[in-house]
Amino acid sequence: MSYTAPVKDMLFAMEHLAGIAHVAQIPGFEDAGLETAQAVLEECAKLCEGVVAPLNVPGDVNPSAWKDGKVTTTPGFADAFKQYAEGGWQGLQHPTDFGGQGLPKTIGAACIEMLNSANLSFALCPLLTDGAIEALLTAGSDALKTTYLEKLISGQWTGTMNLTEPQAGSDLALVRTKAEPQPDGTYKVFGTKIFITYGEHDMAENIVHLVLARVAGAPEGVKGISLFVVPKFLVNADGSLGARNDAHCVSIEHKMGIKASPTAVLQFGDHGGAIGYLVGEENRGLEYMFIMMNAARYAVGMQGIAVAERSYQHAVAYAKDRVQSRPVDGSVKASATIIHHPDVRRMLMTMRAYTEGCRAMASAAAAAYDAAHHHPDAEVRQANATFYEFMVPLVKGYSTEMSLEVTSLGVQVHGGMGFIEETGAAQYYRDAKILTIYEGTTAIQANDLVGRKTARDGGTSAKAIADQIAKTEAALRASGTADALALAQRLQTAREAYVQVVDFVAGQTKASPNAVFAGSVPYLMLTGNLVAGWQMGRALLVAQDKAAQGEDVQFMQAKVATARFYGDHILTKVPGQAESVLHGADAVMALPHEAF
Amino acid sequence: MSYTAPVKDMLFAMEHLAGIAHVAQIPGFEDAGLETAQAVLEECAKLCEGVVAPLNVPGDVNPSAWKDGKVTTTPGFADAFKQYAEGGWQGLQHPTDFGGQGLPKTIGAACIEMLNSANLSFALCPLLTDGAIEALLTAGSDALKTTYLEKLISGQWTGTMNLTEPQAGSDLALVRTKAEPQPDGTYKVFGTKIFITYGEHDMAENIVHLVLARVAGAPEGVKGISLFVVPKFLVNADGSLGARNDAHCVSIEHKMGIKASPTAVLQFGDHGGAIGYLVGEENRGLEYMFIMMNAARYAVGMQGIAVAERSYQHAVAYAKDRVQSRPVDGSVKASATIIHHPDVRRMLMTMRAYTEGCRAMASAAAAAYDAAHHHPDAEVRQANATFYEFMVPLVKGYSTEMSLEVTSLGVQVHGGMGFIEETGAAQYYRDAKILTIYEGTTAIQANDLVGRKTARDGGTSAKAIADQIAKTEAALRASGTADALALAQRLQTAREAYVQVVDFVAGQTKASPNAVFAGSVPYLMLTGNLVAGWQMGRALLVAQDKAAQGEDVQFMQAKVATARFYGDHILTKVPGQAESVLHGADAVMALPHEAF
């Protein structure tokens, strides 16, 4: 099943929701306007559609395989990664100082979506490498930067994030990997890390592991964790590869999905100690790790949008082709293609509305990231940083949860054929299930939204978003069309429920933590429903104007219809979710452990 | 991961919600009271827990395999089926005249649940055999009954349903398989059938295929379809096996789940014609097929409940064992088992509430089936038949849809380990996805609920259920406890929304079919939410009384807490769903085909 990058919708979001024209006014991004975006997206689409997407099914059927410590990836992956690297795609968002292209996240995010639609398993290697680059850029010494950044940014080497240990999944306080200081300033690292994505593979010359470990004598818990670079091959002073380091892949996991992506168990120091280089200062590893994690969390949210888009395209193609049963309205007197049937239409519209809504939300968030990091005005930076930080758990948590529903509908549209592996729809369903788990489960995203993003400032940032939504409602009302009025009403109802929930969360997190955290995921889901719906409201305003002006009428009318659907079928969930958050906490905790 | 049959909850539902005491007053069921039920369930639990459940993972890892027209099932399956047959379990609900045990569905349904919790793939063979038995009992000639029924009921032979063809999935009007009458009164059958569950296997001596086909000259469409028995081996006059019939398995499917269950492509008549025997009259095949389908639809609903239960048990065991992070309320000062965390509790409660609610709904429906078929009073039979018919699309459609959510949460509770196949949680997620598809997709169940079950009688049956729910609300209010009052309010709000939707469906199905069918699945889901919630309301009333009397206090208190959770977290979805049905139809159909 081929993939066609939704370049038009991506550009629509960039232009009208993210406001790329404003991004292009930021010093350093002068050349990153809409025209550049279009050129970059079209080029990226070629690679993703032509080279990477055709490897998606082969990767599932013939996954990465481990033998004697080496991992062989699916045939074609190494060559595709070479093309990806040579095209400069790994460096798209990274600084020109180290060979990157220095483009804004506003553009980069769309490229990440495409690559993931083409092939989630393949895209994970660049995704983790981006995290390693971010960490080194932020906290690495000049020596580390000089040694590693260019090679990572060029795609000659790749990066990994080594957090998890068998006894410590999401709970980094339990990390046991040790780092022993050596007289030459390096460390010897000993321990076992699991779930290391692309922890071993044959697609690049070297692998740069970023590893959390405890220096001997460090405090217990998360305050005693440091971050180290542990390369697979040591690097000589001239930049050439030296000796094999004592970091070895002892097995890879047998997973339900993303099978082409090797998930490694890495053993550090079984043969004398793996040589590691401290990143930044000792005991500040958690802080640096969050730099990697935040980049990765946003990217995993894009993975959710990406797999939803691919699943949608697959389902649409089937629905337009498969002939089955007469339409209920008698419009066709014989069996018709199933896209005629209202419930198939409802499923496709649901898939489409979720995907477009989340894409719009993520695009707006990306522009905020760019302004937060690069705008000359400190106040603008701060305001955008606050907005972006609020969006990260939504982009990650909400977009991935919605991808489970969308990929399930994608199978359902296919009927019995969807359950047959050869059809391809099932792979998206299996692949997507990891997205709500890795880089912090949905519950962890929700805890972040509750604690750091809502309660900490007493709900101020959360309510600032409600104020912006109210403005969109007013604009919708002012436009006066039936679709706009209907969506304004849905937004208002949802926003008012949201404000009640924000008050509850901000007011009760300290006093009644169990009551708030019992509703943390429903709070995240209702906020995601609302914020993506708000972006669809903004999209409707633009699209109905453009359609009235005769500009790309079919696309613009479809956007209006999709926004309206979002209001009538997704925003309608919000009041019920608010009820559960506000009044459902006791029921969550009522049963004693032993009664389960 | 072991399985423990929830015998206590099954008996609670049978006693207090299905009213097994009333079933036992029906002539023929005098011995089928609670004591019998308990004895049967305990015996069934032994077989399911000890013999069938341990084959679940092996069936996934080492599925059925095809070679040269023969299918070899997973090692252990044939022996387990022998034990199942020898225990008399295939005949549990079938007439004593043909060697069955003649027990009511009220008891049989619980056994079906257990067998499916133990092993969905294994349980499909008896499930399809039950369908074949029902069809022959209802429409078969005496000769067919004599030849086939005892052997099917004893489990010596198994049965299949052959409906689907490559061009005709859910659309039986497109069936092309031909049946040519022969001078001896038999027919020669020619055609290809796909998706035939246990269409070929090595677990029984003979396979009795029930096949839809067109007699030459029959009308087009569904009115020209007849039903035939086409045995794998012809049967001699003395009942011994004769020649191999011309019905051959040419391949089996490679599926996402239920891998141990062979899904066959059957070729009839490639070597001169498969000998078939007409069931009932020509051109009434669809009617007989619905007999099989109705039994099978209820049973597939039980599969949803069954896999949800198994997934829940798996998740609970993990949540009580896995240590990770400190509780947010500070109740434990170190990392604790994850069942301490509110969101894990929310997930487990969601899984539990859905499973218990659907079990209660299915149990009440089973009792209605028994009264509908066996009660001496015709009016009582009619009233129960109407209720049961309304319940079938809910038991099938709603319980299977909820199983997708539950099995997804089951993976989620495990975090990263859930995505690793060896953990076992992923299998339930993969297996469950077929349940919303086969024996009629959720959309087909919803069409049935809209058309035959709601619109046809102008909403009378649907509103009769609302009246019963109002009585439960009154009883909850009268009891006066906080939990009962809260649940009464949730039920009332949901019921009022439901009545509005019923009026819309009953009033508009003819005038605006697209508008109604655009909301058919949301209508099914909201009705399922409400009806299962109503049964939880009835359960709460019983349980709080029993708890007050000191009877099995922990179990009864847990039931109250689970019912309350159901109200606060599941019934709360209903008003939003009603909004989408009542006001969301235009948005479903707004986009022209070419805009997708």
Side-chain angles (χ1 to χ4, degrees):
Chain A
M1 175 67 204
S2 66
Y3 162 67
T4 305
V7 172
K8 192 182 275 193
D9 196 55
M10 290 168 164
L11 290 173
F12 177 91
M14 264 182 234
E15 182 177 3
H16 302 297
L17 307 177
I20 194 169
H22 293 104
V23 175
Q25 287 169 359
I26 297 172
F29 291 149
E30 293 87 350
D31 296 331
L34 194 63
E35 275 185 40
T36 302
Q38 180 159 1
V40 169
L41 264 57
E42 284 170 1
E43 203 56 38
C44 189
K46 278 185 207 162
L47 180 77
C48 292
E49 293 170 2
V51 176
V52 184
L55 294 171
N56 193 44
V57 169
D60 192 54
V61 173
N62 186 13
S64 282
W66 180 94
K67 197 180 172 194
D68 299 335
K70 292 194 194 318
V71 170
T72 308
T73 54
T74 304
F77 267 47
D79 183 59
F81 187 71
K82 200 165 166 232
Q83 292 185 54
Y84 176 83
E86 286 173 359
W89 297 105
Q90 184 72 58
L92 200 70
Q93 291 178 59
H94 298 302
T96 50
D97 300 354
F98 298 99
Q101 313 222 15
L103 286 173
K105 194 181 191 84
T106 307
I107 296 174
C111 297
I112 289 176
E113 185 196 318
M114 283 186 202
L115 192 69
N116 278 288
S117 282
N119 197 324
L120 280 187
S121 284
F122 180 86
L124 277 164
C125 188
L127 191 159
L128 273 297
T129 302
D130 277 339
I133 292 168
E134 291 287 343
L136 288 174
L137 278 170
T138 314
S141 63
D142 286 344
L144 285 177
K145 285 182 184 171
T146 304
T147 309
Y148 293 101
L149 276 177
E150 277 193 29
K151 297 268 173 53
L152 286 167
I153 285 173
S154 70
Q156 199 174 337
W157 299 349
T158 68
T160 70
M161 288 165 55
N162 286 246
L163 282 53
T164 306
E165 301 180 7
Q167 79 292 350
S170 308
D171 187 358
L172 297 174
L174 303 181
V175 160
R176 281 190 209 142
T177 295
K178 283 187 308 182
E180 296 178 354
Q182 304 298 307
D184 64 354
T186 66
Y187 292 74
K188 283 201 171 175
V189 177
F190 302 88
T192 304
K193 294 287 182 177
I194 62 169
F195 295 167
I196 309 309
T197 300
Y198 280 95
E200 178 59 33
H201 63 81
D202 57 0
M203 285 159 47
E205 296 164 12
N206 201 4
I207 303 174
V208 182
H209 303 298
L210 283 152
V211 183
L212 290 184
R214 275 178 206 288
V215 177
E220 285 195 9
V222 293
K223 289 177 183 167
I225 296 174
S226 305
L227 183 66
F228 298 88
V229 164
V230 182
K232 176 178 169 185
F233 288 100
L234 300 177
V235 181
N236 298 322
D238 64 356
S240 63
L241 293 185
R244 182 72 166 85
N245 204 354
D246 186 9
H248 294 279
C249 174
V250 295
S251 66
I252 62 173
E253 305 292 352
H254 171 222
K255 307 187 299 294
M256 173 159 65
I258 56 162
K259 294 185 184 187
S261 155
T263 304
V265 178
L266 291 184
Q267 200 70 34
F268 292 92
D270 270 9
H271 308 283
I275 294 172
Y277 308 91
L278 182 68
V279 177
E281 297 171 23
E282 280 188 8
N283 300 333
R284 291 180 63 187
L286 199 73
E287 181 187 321
Y288 309 143
M289 193 268 312
F290 268 113
I291 296 164
M292 297 194 283
M293 286 284 278
N294 258 335
R297 283 177 176 182
Y298 181 91
V300 172
M302 296 311 300
Q303 293 196 297
I305 297 164
V307 73
E309 172 69 33
R310 185 87 189 258
S311 172
Y312 168 75
Q313 291 190 15
H314 208 126
V316 166
Y318 189 80
K320 287 181 169 177
D321 179 64
R322 173 70 170 174
V323 173
Q324 196 85 144
S325 303
R326 295 183 181 196
V328 288
D329 64 1
S331 59
V332 182
K333 293 295 177 200
S335 294
T337 50
I338 62 172
I339 199 169
H340 283 83
H341 303 319
D343 190 64
V344 171
R345 209 73 81 82
R346 182 191 61 81
M347 291 193 278
L348 295 178
M349 286 302 296
T350 304
M351 299 170 80
R352 181 184 177 100
Y354 271 126
T355 307
E356 290 188 12
C358 286
R359 180 181 295 130
M361 178 168 74
S363 191
Y369 175 93
D370 290 325
H373 284 75
H374 301 286
H375 200 281
D377 183 329
E379 267 185 48
V380 175
R381 285 203 302 276
Q382 184 53 52
N384 278 282
T386 302
F387 181 81
Y388 180 73
E389 288 296 319
F390 196 88
M391 289 297 120
V392 170
L394 300 181
V395 170
K396 201 291 183 180
Y398 182 74
S399 305
T400 60
E401 289 287 339
M402 79 87 188
S403 80
L404 302 186
E405 187 171 340
V406 169
T407 55
S408 176
L409 290 172
V411 174
Q412 190 73 18
V413 168
H414 287 80
M417 291 306 297
F419 200 64
I420 307 299
E421 286 289 0
E422 284 78 1
T423 305
Q427 186 186 345
Y428 312 131
Y429 184 69
R430 289 186 287 99
D431 283 355
K433 190 68 198 85
I434 191 59
L435 304 180
T436 58
I437 296 172
Y438 63 16
E439 303 302 340
T441 63
T442 307
I444 287 173
Q445 306 305 318
N447 286 357
D448 181 43
L449 185 69
V450 163
R452 276 183 291 272
K453 310 299 166 65
T454 305
R456 185 183 283 176
D457 72 359
T460 306
S461 319
K463 287 196 183 167
I465 289 168
D467 292 342
Q468 291 190 61
I469 294 171
K471 285 179 193 159
T472 300
E473 291 163 26
L476 287 163
R477 288 216 169 79
S479 92
T481 65
D483 288 322
L485 291 172
L487 187 54
Q489 188 54 50
R490 297 284 183 216
L491 278 171
Q492 184 186 333
T493 305
R495 173 180 51 83
E496 287 168 358
Y498 165 75
V499 169
Q500 278 193 290
V501 168
V502 168
D503 281 335
F504 170 76
V505 169
Q508 299 297 315
T509 298
K510 274 204 178 155
S512 313
N514 280 339
V516 171
F517 287 101
S520 60
V521 168
Y523 169 47
L524 180 146
M525 293 305 291
L526 87 77
T527 307
N529 282 331
L530 173 62
V531 171
W534 164 41
Q535 297 302 330
M536 292 304 280
R538 295 180 63 213
L540 185 150
L541 282 166
V542 173
Q544 68 182 7
D545 279 357
K546 298 275 178 197
Q549 293 157 20
E551 191 180 318
D552 206 352
V553 175
Q554 192 195 42
F555 175 85
M556 296 301 169
Q557 287 181 340
K559 183 61 81 180
V560 171
T562 306
R564 176 68 189 269
F565 181 92
Y566 196 105
D568 292 348
H569 292 264
I570 300 174
L571 281 174
T572 43
K573 294 171 193 267
V574 170
Q577 292 170 319
E579 272 293 300
S580 297
V581 177
L582 295 171
H583 305 295
D586 289 349
V588 171
M589 302 302 283
L591 220 59
H593 295 177
E594 58 276 15
F596 281 91
Chain B
M1 176 66 203
S2 66
Y3 162 68
T4 306
V7 172
K8 192 182 274 192
D9 196 55
M10 290 168 164
L11 290 173
F12 177 91
M14 264 182 233
E15 183 177 2
H16 302 297
L17 308 177
I20 195 168
H22 293 104
V23 175
Q25 285 167 1
I26 297 172
F29 291 149
E30 293 86 351
D31 296 333
L34 194 64
E35 275 187 40
T36 301
Q38 179 158 3
V40 170
L41 264 56
E42 283 170 1
E43 202 57 39
C44 189
K46 278 186 209 162
L47 180 75
C48 293
E49 294 169 2
V51 177
V52 184
L55 294 170
N56 193 45
V57 169
D60 193 54
V61 174
N62 186 13
S64 282
W66 179 95
K67 198 182 171 193
D68 300 336
K70 291 194 195 319
V71 170
T72 308
T73 54
T74 304
F77 268 47
D79 182 58
F81 187 71
K82 199 164 166 229
Q83 292 184 56
Y84 177 83
E86 285 173 359
W89 296 105
Q90 185 72 58
L92 200 70
Q93 291 179 58
H94 298 301
T96 50
D97 299 356
F98 297 99
Q101 312 220 16
L103 285 173
K105 194 180 191 84
T106 308
I107 296 174
C111 297
I112 289 175
E113 185 195 319
M114 282 186 204
L115 193 69
N116 278 288
S117 282
N119 196 324
L120 280 185
S121 284
F122 179 88
L124 277 165
C125 189
L127 191 159
L128 274 297
T129 302
D130 277 338
I133 292 167
E134 290 288 341
L136 288 173
L137 278 170
T138 315
S141 64
D142 286 345
L144 285 179
K145 285 182 185 170
T146 305
T147 308
Y148 295 101
L149 276 176
E150 276 193 29
K151 297 269 173 53
L152 286 167
I153 285 172
S154 70
Q156 198 173 339
W157 300 348
T158 68
T160 71
M161 289 166 55
N162 286 246
L163 281 54
T164 306
E165 300 180 7
Q167 78 293 350
S170 308
D171 187 358
L172 297 173
L174 302 180
V175 159
R176 282 190 206 142
T177 296
K178 283 186 310 183
E180 296 178 354
Q182 304 298 308
D184 65 353
T186 67
Y187 292 74
K188 283 200 170 174
V189 177
F190 302 88
T192 304
K193 295 286 183 179
I194 62 168
F195 295 166
I196 309 308
T197 301
Y198 279 94
E200 178 59 33
H201 63 83
D202 57 0
M203 286 157 47
E205 297 165 11
N206 201 5
I207 302 174
V208 182
H209 303 298
L210 283 151
V211 183
L212 290 184
R214 277 177 204 289
V215 177
E220 286 194 7
V222 293
K223 289 177 182 167
I225 295 175
S226 304
L227 183 66
F228 297 88
V229 164
V230 183
K232 175 178 171 184
F233 287 100
L234 300 177
V235 182
N236 298 321
D238 65 356
S240 63
L241 293 185
R244 183 71 166 84
N245 203 354
D246 186 9
H248 295 278
C249 174
V250 295
S251 65
I252 62 174
E253 306 292 352
H254 171 220
K255 308 188 298 294
M256 174 161 63
I258 56 161
K259 295 185 183 187
S261 155
T263 303
V265 178
L266 291 183
Q267 200 69 33
F268 293 94
D270 270 7
H271 307 282
I275 294 173
Y277 308 92
L278 183 68
V279 177
E281 298 172 24
E282 281 186 8
N283 301 332
R284 290 180 64 188
L286 199 74
E287 180 187 321
Y288 309 143
M289 193 269 311
F290 268 113
I291 296 163
M292 296 194 282
M293 285 285 277
N294 257 336
R297 283 177 176 183
Y298 181 91
V300 172
M302 296 310 302
Q303 293 196 297
I305 298 163
V307 73
E309 172 69 32
R310 186 86 190 260
S311 172
Y312 168 75
Q313 291 190 14
H314 208 124
V316 166
Y318 189 79
K320 287 180 170 178
D321 180 63
R322 172 71 169 175
V323 173
Q324 197 86 144
S325 303
R326 294 184 182 195
V328 288
D329 63 0
S331 59
V332 181
K333 293 294 176 201
S335 295
T337 51
I338 62 172
I339 199 168
H340 283 83
H341 302 319
D343 191 64
V344 171
R345 208 73 81 81
R346 183 191 62 81
M347 293 194 276
L348 295 177
M349 285 302 295
T350 304
M351 299 172 79
R352 181 184 177 103
Y354 271 126
T355 306
E356 290 188 12
C358 286
R359 179 181 295 131
M361 178 168 74
S363 191
Y369 175 94
D370 290 325
H373 284 76
H374 301 287
H375 199 280
D377 184 328
E379 269 185 46
V380 174
R381 283 202 303 276
Q382 185 52 50
N384 278 281
T386 303
F387 181 81
Y388 180 73
E389 288 296 319
F390 195 88
M391 288 297 120
V392 169
L394 300 181
V395 170
K396 201 290 185 183
Y398 182 74
S399 306
T400 61
E401 288 287 339
M402 78 87 188
S403 79
L404 302 186
E405 187 171 341
V406 169
T407 55
S408 176
L409 290 172
V411 175
Q412 191 73 17
V413 168
H414 287 79
M417 291 305 298
F419 201 63
I420 306 298
E421 286 290 0
E422 284 78 359
T423 305
Q427 186 186 345
Y428 311 131
Y429 185 68
R430 289 186 288 99
D431 283 356
K433 190 70 198 84
I434 191 59
L435 304 180
T436 59
I437 295 172
Y438 64 17
E439 303 302 340
T441 62
T442 306
I444 288 174
Q445 306 305 320
N447 286 357
D448 181 43
L449 185 69
V450 164
R452 277 183 289 273
K453 310 299 167 63
T454 304
R456 184 183 282 175
D457 74 358
T460 307
S461 318
K463 288 198 183 166
I465 289 168
D467 292 343
Q468 290 190 61
I469 294 171
K471 285 180 192 157
T472 300
E473 291 162 27
L476 287 163
R477 289 216 169 79
S479 91
T481 64
D483 289 321
L485 291 173
L487 187 54
Q489 189 53 50
R490 297 283 183 214
L491 278 171
Q492 183 186 335
T493 305
R495 171 179 53 81
E496 287 168 357
Y498 165 75
V499 169
Q500 278 193 289
V501 168
V502 168
D503 281 335
F504 170 76
V505 169
Q508 299 297 317
T509 298
K510 276 205 176 152
S512 311
N514 279 341
V516 172
F517 286 101
S520 59
V521 167
Y523 170 46
L524 180 145
M525 294 305 291
L526 88 76
T527 307
N529 282 332
L530 174 63
V531 171
W534 165 40
Q535 296 302 331
M536 292 304 279
R538 296 180 63 213
L540 184 150
L541 282 166
V542 173
Q544 70 183 5
D545 279 358
K546 298 275 178 198
Q549 292 157 21
E551 191 180 318
D552 207 352
V553 175
Q554 193 197 39
F555 175 85
M556 296 301 169
Q557 286 180 341
K559 182 62 82 180
V560 171
T562 307
R564 175 71 189 267
F565 181 93
Y566 195 104
D568 291 349
H569 292 264
I570 301 174
L571 281 174
T572 43
K573 295 172 192 270
V574 171
Q577 292 170 319
E579 272 293 299
S580 297
V581 177
L582 295 171
H583 305 294
D586 290 348
V588 171
M589 303 301 284
L591 219 60
H593 296 177
E594 58 275 16
F596 280 92

